[in-house]
Amino acid sequence: MTFLSLTEQDREQMLETIGVDSIDELFEQIPVGVRLGRALELEPALSEPELVAHLNELASRNIDTGREVSFLGAGIYDHYVPAVVDAVLARGEFLTAYTPYQPEMSQGVLQAIFEYQTAICELTGMDVSNASGYDGTTVAADACYLARQATGRSKVVLTESLNPQVRQVVKTYAPGFGLDVVEVPHRDGTTDPDELRAAAGEAACVIFQQPNFFGCLEPAPDLAAAANDAGALPVAHVDPVSLGVLEAPGVYGCALAIGEGQSAGNYQSYGGPHYGFLAARSEFIRRMPGRISGETVDSEGRRGFVLTLQTREQHIRREKATSNITTNQTLLALAGLVHLSWLGPQGLRELGETCLALSRYAKERLSEAGLELVFPEKATFKEFAVRVGRPAKDAISDARAAGIHPGYALGRDYAGLDDALLVAVTEKRTTAEIDSLVEVLAA
Amino acid sequence: MKLVYEKSRPGRRASSLPRPEVPAAEVPEELRRASPPRLPEISEPELVRHFTALADRTFGVDTGFYPLGSCTMKHNPRVNERVVNLPGFRDLHPLQEEDASQGALELMWRLQEILAEIVGLPAVSLQPAAGSQGELTGLLLMRAYFADRGEGDQRREIVIPDTAHGTNPASVTMAGYKLVDVKTDPRGNVDVDDLRGKVGPQTAGLMLTNPSTLGLFDEGIEEITRIFHEAGALMYYDGANLNAICGISRPGDFGFDIVHFNLHKTFSQPHGGGGPGGGPIAVRERLEPYLPVPAVVREGEAFRLDYGRPKTIGKVRGFCGPFGVFVRSYAYIRSYGPALREMSEVAVLNANYLLARLKDTYEAPFDRLCMHEFVLSGRKLKREHGVTTLDVAKRLMDYGFHPPTIYFPLIVPEALMIEPTETEAKETLDAFADAMLTIAREAAGQPELLKEAPHVRPVKRLDEVRAAKQPVVRYRFEQHEDPQGAGEPRQLEAQKGA
Ligand SMILES: Cc1ncc(COP(=O)(O)O)c(C=O)c1O
C-alpha cells in the first residue's frame, strides 16, 4: 500500500514539462559510485487490513495496564486520560500541522501553546514556560545548560533521590556542556538540607525532585533555601498532578521548575512520546530553550499570537543559541492543556487527594499485613517503597502470576534495596485492587 | 477569540473522578498548597467548543498543501493512528517486564533492522527524541570515540557547510566542539578547495545534509569522503532530507559513519503542531559500543533490553525513546515495503515538476535538476517591485496554501524553499504553481495586494517586534492588560520554517 496520488498519465506529462525522458534521469546528479543499484531488502508491502492484523498480533504480546492491575510507576503512571483529550488530538488540524512559523495560518496552535504556558506557570508558580521539551529527563539537561550560562559556574548538584534516568541523562550531556556533576546521597529517603548546602557551593544549580523518586516528600522549601544560600539556582522536578495539593516551586523560592508531563494527559505508551515542561522566573526569559508563544496585535489591533523571542533559537542564533531544540512535543503538551482544563482547580485537588488517600490506605494495609515500609517516617504522595522480605523480582513474578504488577524493583538503581518495591497508586486503583495487592505480597 | 481562561466561571467543571471511601490523608502543612492554580473552570461542552474553534484556526496537511521546505509535510495515514492506539501499545508501561512486552520489543528490533538497511549502517539506537537530539547524540559519540583513542584533546573541530540547518551549529556548541564553516561552490556543492584547507588532525568530524538544504545532491561527495577519511575524522549525516533517496542511495555506502533519521519527516509521524518527532541514529560497527543504553537485542526467538555496554555515552532520553512514534513509522514503512524507492522517486518528480513550472518567473540560484525540494529566490521581485519574499508567502495564504519555508538557507537571498512531497496530486501542484505565477504578476501590477496580505485569515499580519520587545507569554488574569492599539505589523524578514 502506498500513499501516492499521481497517475501514469500525470507522470508522463510531468516528465515532459521537466524535459526528461524518465524518472531515472532525475537522479543522474547522484554519482554512479554511490547509487545502491539493488532493491532494498525489506519485507513485502502490506495492505491496510494485513498491516492492522500484523500490528494487532504484536500488540497482543504486550501485557498492558488493561490486562493486569498495575502498581508500576517510577516516572510513568497509569492515570486516567479523559475522552476529550482523544477527541481534541484526533483533530487533523492539530495532528498534521507543524511548528507555527507563519502565525496567520496557525493562530489555533499558537493560542493553545499560550494557554499551555499559562497552565504550567500556574501549576509551578513561575512567570514563563516554554512550549515543551522532549520529556522529563531532557528538561533537566536543559535546566543545567541554562544555569551554566546564567551563573558562569561549571558544576551541577543532583540529589540521589532524583529519578535515576534523569540523573543519567544529565550526566550524558554534562561533558559537552563542560559541567561536573555531583550527587548528594539521601538520608532515609529524603535529602538533608545542610548536606545539600555544603555541596552547592560554586554550583550553577541544584536539582531535586518533589515528590522524589521514592515517593517521599522532600523538605522542598529548605532545599531551595539551601541552594539559594550557596548562590546556586534551585530547580524542582515536579509531578504536575501533585500540584493541586503540594506547594508550587515558585512560592518556595525555586528559580526553575521542570518535570515529566505524562501524568497530565498522556498515555503510558511504553515511555513516549510525552512532554517535558520547563518553567522559570521572569529573569531567565531570554535564556529559555525552545519555542515560546507570545501575545501581540495585528495591523487592525486584534489580539494574536506569534512565536517570540526567537533570537534565542538555533535558526536565528545558530552556534550561540540557548538550545538546539527544534521539533518539540506540542501535541502531547496540548493533551496536557486539555486534561488540566478538564480537571480545573477543583478536579486537580480531588485527584491529588484521591492519590494521597489511596496510597495511605495501601501503606496501612501492607503494614498491617506485616510488610515493612522502607521509609516509614516520611510523608508520601502517590508512591512509596515497601520491603517484601525476599528479592523484589521474585515478588514481582509471583504477583504477576496472580494478574497484578506490584511495582518497580528499587534494587535496579539503589544498593541495599534488593528486597524493596516502589508501589504507585493512582486514582484508577480501587480498594479491592489494593487488597489483592496486599494479599499477594503478604503471601 | 477568547482564551480558555477568559471563558472560565467559578464553580464550573468538566471532570468527574472516583472518590473512594477511605480516610483522607493530609500533606504536611509546610508543604501544602496555599492557593490553587488558576486552571480554567469550564464545562465539557464549552471545552470541546473551545478546542474545536482553535482547531478551526489551524492549518494542517489535512487542510491543504503545506510545502514547508526541509519539513517533509506529507500525508499522515490514518491507519497509523488506529494501530498506535491499540491498548497493547498505548497502555503499556515502559518498565513492564521483558516477557510481558515482547511485542513492543520486537517492533523496535524490526524497526532497527529496517533503518539499518535503509541507510546501510549496521547498528541503530532509537532513543533520540528528534533530529536535533540525534545530532547531539552523534557528536557525543564522536567525543567518546576519540577520547577512547586518546585523540580527544587533539580533535576539537566540527566542519559544517554554510547551507546547514541551525541545529547543526547549535548542536556543535552543546557538544563542546568548535565550529568550522565551509563555503558552497557555484554549483551548490560543498566547496572542496575551501574544505581541504579546513580539515586536518584537529578535525573530529563533518556534519552534512545530502541532498543539502538547497535540495541538491552533492556531486563531490566521493571526494569529500576521501578528505575526511584521510584525516581520520568521522562523518555525520543529517538525515532531514532522506525522503529524496530511500532505496536509491545509502549514506553508509558513501562514507558516513553516523546518520540520524527524522521519523516525523521521512516516515510520516504527524508533526503535531511542532512535535513529537523521532530522531534514531544508525552508526558503523566501530561506534556501536558507545551507543545509548538500553539496546534492543534479539536472542533466539526472544527480545530483550541490553544495558551491558561498558563504553556507552549513557542515555539521552527516558526509556527506549518515543515508542508511539516508532509504531507509526514502522507501520508506514511496512505499508510501502521495498516500494519506498517509489516514494522517493515521486517526491523528486513532484519537486522537479514545480521547479520547472516556476523557474522562469522566480530565480533558481542553481541551474540544475533538484532532488525532493528546491530553493528559489524572490530577489527579482524585490528589486523590480519592492515586494519581499515575506509578502509572497503571506499572499499564498489567500490562495489557500501554507507558505514554503522562507529566508532559509541563508546563502540564498529572499529564499523560498519548496518541498511538495510525494503524496500530492498533480492538480494540487498545478494550482500552487498557478498561484505563484499569479502572485508574481500581482507584484508587478498591484503590489499592495501582497504587502497587505493575508486578507482571508483570522488575523492580519502580526507585530512580531512588539511581541519580542514587551513579552507577554502567559495570561495574567485580573492584571492582564488587553493588547491595545493597531500595531504597525513589524514582521521579521527572518527564517520561517525548517
Ligand atoms: C536540515 C535539518 N536538520 C535538522 C533538523 C532538526 O530536526 P528536528 O526538528 O527533528 O530536531 C531539521 C528540521 O527541523 C532540518 O530541516
Side-chain angles (χ1 to χ4, degrees):
Chain A
M1 166 179 43
T2 65
F3 305 95
L4 306 173
S5 308
L6 299 187
T7 64
E8 268 316 308
Q9 200 193 355
D10 290 337
R11 292 178 200 222
E12 277 163 32
Q13 285 174 2
M14 290 164 75
L15 288 170
E16 199 183 313
T17 305
I18 298 166
V20 295
D21 292 328
S22 69
I23 287 190
D24 286 347
E25 243 181 272
L26 300 175
F27 289 93
E28 277 173 9
Q29 61 188 299
I30 301 184
V32 181
V34 302
R35 294 190 206 157
L36 177 58
R38 64 163 172 88
L40 285 174
E41 284 174 18
L42 299 177
E43 288 179 81
L46 297 175
S47 66
E48 184 169 328
E50 288 166 327
L51 180 69
V52 171
H54 171 53
L55 282 144
N56 255 321
E57 193 279 323
L58 287 173
S60 74
R61 283 191 279 124
N62 300 323
I63 308 286
D64 59 74
T65 53
R67 290 171 62 188
E68 201 172 59
V69 177
S70 177
F71 293 91
L72 257 180
I76 299 295
Y77 300 92
D78 184 23
H79 284 291
Y80 181 71
V81 179
V84 286
V85 168
D86 294 357
V88 172
L89 263 59
R91 282 294 298 233
E93 299 89 335
F94 289 134
L95 186 70
T96 70
Y98 203 13
T99 309
Y101 299 109
Q102 295 283 356
E104 302 85 352
M105 298 301 271
S106 309
Q107 279 302 295
V109 173
L110 283 159
Q111 181 172 330
I113 296 171
F114 186 85
E115 293 177 355
Y116 161 83
Q117 290 167 186
T118 305
I120 295 297
C121 288
E122 280 296 310
L123 287 181
T124 57
M126 293 288 164
D127 305 311
V128 52
S129 158
N130 71 7
S132 67
Y134 300 134
D135 75 358
T137 67
T138 63
V139 288
D142 291 338
C144 292
Y145 197 57
L146 186 159
R148 188 191 188 337
Q149 308 299 333
T151 65
R153 296 178 171 190
S154 59
K155 176 176 95 175
V156 295
V157 175
L158 311 178
T159 61
E160 193 192 10
S161 52
L162 172 64
N163 183 313
Q165 296 204 33
V166 174
R167 285 183 282 141
Q168 205 179 359
V169 168
V170 169
K171 288 182 206 163
T172 306
Y173 275 65
F177 294 173
L179 281 174
D180 293 323
V181 180
V182 172
E183 290 180 274
V184 175
H186 72 92
R187 301 293 171 204
D188 251 339
T190 57
T191 309
D192 173 26
D194 293 330
E195 243 178 302
L196 188 70
R197 185 178 294 106
E202 290 309 304
C205 68
V206 165
I207 309 184
F208 63 87
Q209 188 176 0
Q210 177 75 324
N212 71 23
F213 186 67
F214 303 121
C216 298
L217 298 185
E218 295 275 9
D222 300 339
L223 300 183
N228 278 323
D229 289 348
L233 304 182
V235 182
H237 194 287
V238 289
D239 178 353
V241 303
S242 72
L243 293 172
V245 294
L246 293 182
E247 189 52 283
V251 174
Y252 55 78
C254 286
L256 285 95
I258 58 176
E260 168 61 62
Q262 183 268 333
S263 285
N266 296 172
Y267 293 97
Q268 298 160 84
S269 187
Y270 202 58
H274 299 140
Y275 62 103
F277 55 90
L278 187 151
R281 291 201 309 252
S282 56
E283 64 204 84
F284 302 110
I285 188 166
R286 286 173 201 276
R287 296 190 185 278
M288 296 281 288
R291 314 290 185 191
I292 296 175
S293 171
E295 186 184 86
T296 188
V297 289
D298 76 358
S299 54
E300 291 172 4
R302 279 174 298 198
R303 175 169 69 187
F305 301 90
V306 295
L307 291 178
T308 195
L309 301 167
Q310 294 191 60
T311 50
R312 297 167 298 113
E313 292 192 66
Q314 47 73 29
H315 61 288
I316 309 277
R317 194 52 75 79
R318 297 177 75 85
E319 73 273 15
K320 297 199 179 65
T322 56
S323 165
N324 66 347
I325 191 169
T326 305
T327 296
N328 58 18
Q329 304 292 125
T330 297
L331 193 70
L332 292 311
L334 171 64
L337 170 67
V338 176
H339 191 190
L340 292 167
S341 304
W342 180 80
L343 285 169
Q346 181 66 17
L348 184 72
R349 210 190 68 226
E350 282 175 17
L351 175 55
E353 288 169 349
T354 300
C355 291
L356 273 166
L358 281 174
S359 61
R360 169 173 145 172
Y361 175 79
K363 286 201 290 188
E364 286 178 356
R365 291 291 327 272
L366 286 163
S367 303
E368 283 160 24
L371 286 95
E372 191 190 324
L373 296 176
V374 182
F375 308 116
E377 307 299 320
K378 299 293 158 77
T380 58
F381 173 55
K382 67 184 176 191
E383 209 165 14
F384 59 88
V386 62
R387 293 193 193 272
V388 290
R390 57 198 166 122
K393 62 181 189 344
D394 296 344
I396 291 172
S397 35
D398 291 350
R400 289 198 49 234
I404 295 174
H405 199 304
Y408 179 69
L410 274 172
R412 284 170 68 171
D413 303 298
Y414 294 90
L417 290 178
D418 286 336
D419 61 344
L421 278 179
L422 185 63
V423 178
V425 188
T426 70
E427 78 285 6
K428 284 174 73 178
R429 298 290 75 84
T430 64
T431 51
E433 288 171 347
I434 293 169
D435 293 344
S436 329
L437 172 75
V438 175
E439 205 171 297
V440 295
L441 288 184
Chain B
M1 187 185 148
K2 281 190 174 155
L3 295 167
V4 69
Y5 304 95
E6 293 163 337
K7 295 176 179 171
S8 179
R9 294 291 176 274
R12 268 190 202 146
R13 68 185 283 176
S15 56
S16 58
L17 291 161
R19 299 294 272 167
E21 297 280 311
V22 287
E26 287 281 6
V27 169
E29 199 179 340
E30 67 281 11
L31 304 177
R32 200 177 301 155
R33 182 117 196 169
S35 58
R38 289 165 290 183
L39 296 175
E41 297 186 69
I42 190 164
S43 65
E44 176 162 321
E46 293 283 304
L47 185 64
V48 169
R49 281 211 184 123
H50 178 73
F51 285 101
T52 301
L54 290 182
D56 284 344
R57 292 158 74 93
T58 302
F59 186 101
V61 176
D62 283 3
T63 321
F65 188 48
Y66 208 131
L68 194 67
S70 209
C71 300
T72 314
M73 302 300 290
K74 59 173 72 180
H75 172 67
N76 304 120
R78 282 318 189 271
V79 65
N80 298 352
E81 299 309 307
R82 175 174 288 185
V83 293
V84 81
N85 281 306
L86 291 169
F89 295 139
R90 193 190 68 180
D91 299 328
L92 182 62
H93 193 285
L95 297 167
Q96 176 59 290
E97 312 308 304
E98 284 170 8
D99 66 359
S101 38
Q102 283 295 302
L105 293 169
E106 178 171 342
L107 186 145
M108 289 191 291
W109 181 83
R110 283 168 169 268
L111 183 60
Q112 290 175 181
E113 296 288 299
I114 290 170
L115 296 178
E117 166 67 6
I118 290 172
V119 296
L121 288 169
V124 173
S125 170
L126 299 176
Q127 201 173 92
S132 21
Q133 210 191 20
E135 293 170 20
L136 182 63
T137 309
L139 293 170
L140 293 175
L141 292 178
M142 289 191 191
R143 277 184 73 116
Y145 172 78
F146 286 123
D148 216 14
R149 292 166 58 95
E151 296 172 43
D153 293 334
Q154 167 200 330
R155 297 190 183 269
R156 303 294 313 138
E157 294 181 0
I158 301 288
V159 180
I160 293 186
D162 54 9
T163 50
H165 192 266
T167 51
N168 292 185
S171 299
V172 167
T173 303
M174 287 175 76
Y177 275 124
K178 186 166 166 287
L179 177 74
V180 177
D181 256 317
V182 59
K183 290 209 265 301
T184 299
D185 78 8
R187 275 188 66 74
N189 300 317
V190 169
D191 185 331
V192 177
D193 292 330
D194 189 30
L195 184 66
R196 272 200 201 93
K198 289 180 172 165
V199 180
Q202 76 287 5
T203 309
L206 164 77
M207 292 180 90
L208 189 73
T209 312
N210 191 25
S212 69
T213 61
L214 297 165
L216 303 173
F217 197 93
D218 200 300
E219 296 160 314
I221 188 65
E222 288 160 303
E223 181 59 18
I224 294 172
T225 305
R226 214 166 296 130
I227 293 171
F228 278 86
H229 286 178
E230 273 167 20
L234 293 168
M235 293 177 52
Y236 184 93
Y237 181 91
D238 176 333
N241 292 343
L242 201 64
N243 208 47
I245 59 164
C246 288
I248 293 157
S249 180
R250 307 194 305 173
D253 296 342
F254 53 83
F256 284 89
D257 303 290
I258 311 172
V259 171
H260 86 244
F261 300 80
N262 298 73
L263 297 181
H264 44 302
K265 297 179 182 180
T266 317
F267 300 121
S268 194
Q269 158 65 39
H271 285 83
I281 54 171
V283 302
R284 215 171 278 297
E285 287 89 347
R286 58 184 165 151
L287 291 165
E288 183 171 7
Y290 308 96
L291 284 176
V293 287
V296 183
V297 295
R298 178 179 186 159
E299 267 166 20
E301 289 307 296
F303 300 87
R304 66 176 188 84
L305 294 174
D306 183 10
Y307 290 85
R309 276 185 175 156
K311 292 187 171 179
T312 177
I313 59 165
K315 279 186 83 59
V316 295
R317 187 205 178 280
F319 308 103
C320 295
F323 178 75
V325 176
F326 308 154
V327 175
R328 293 186 181 91
S329 290
Y330 176 72
Y332 190 75
I333 296 170
R334 290 305 309 272
S335 295
Y336 272 92
L340 277 182
R341 181 187 168 107
E342 193 185 346
M343 169 188 94
S344 289
E345 285 177 349
V346 176
V348 172
L349 176 61
N350 278 356
N352 275 290
Y353 178 66
L354 271 186
L355 173 61
R357 288 214 49 199
L358 295 174
K359 70 178 177 198
D360 292 337
T361 305
Y362 293 82
E363 244 175 298
F366 305 97
D367 185 22
R368 288 172 58 178
L369 291 170
C370 66
M371 296 294 286
H372 67 304
E373 68 188 359
F374 58 96
V375 179
L376 298 173
S377 171
R379 188 164 52 170
K380 212 165 76 190
L381 293 187
K382 187 167 183 186
R383 201 171 45 229
E384 291 172 7
H385 312 296
V387 155
T388 64
T389 278
L390 187 71
D391 299 327
V392 173
K394 299 300 179 192
R395 183 64 178 148
L396 271 169
M397 298 177 184
D398 289 337
Y399 289 94
F401 299 110
H402 194 288
T405 290
I406 54 175
Y407 299 109
F408 182 73
L410 307 177
I411 64 165
V412 176
E414 299 293 311
L416 290 143
M417 183 195 214
I418 301 173
E419 180 181 14
T421 86
E422 73 280 4
T423 57
E424 297 300 333
K426 178 168 178 291
E427 306 86 274
T428 306
L429 303 178
D430 281 327
F432 176 76
D434 292 345
M436 286 287 286
L437 300 179
T438 305
I439 290 169
R441 281 196 298 276
E442 288 172 349
Q446 302 157 274
E448 65 293 345
L449 264 184
L450 278 68
K451 296 206 157 301
E452 281 160 29
H455 302 271
V456 301
R457 299 300 304 169
V459 289
K460 303 206 72 173
R461 286 197 204 183
L462 291 150
D463 188 349
E464 294 181 335
V465 172
R466 166 180 169 147
K469 284 211 166 127
Q470 311 148 33
V472 178
V473 296
R474 56 159 297 180
Y475 183 60
R476 297 209 159 277
F477 300 89
E478 302 78 47
Q479 286 106 47
H480 199 85
E481 285 171 30
D482 267 347
Q484 301 265 319
E488 192 30 36
R490 295 164 297 176
Q491 300 215 315
L492 307 172
E493 286 175 26
Q495 182 177 339
K496 294 188 188 326

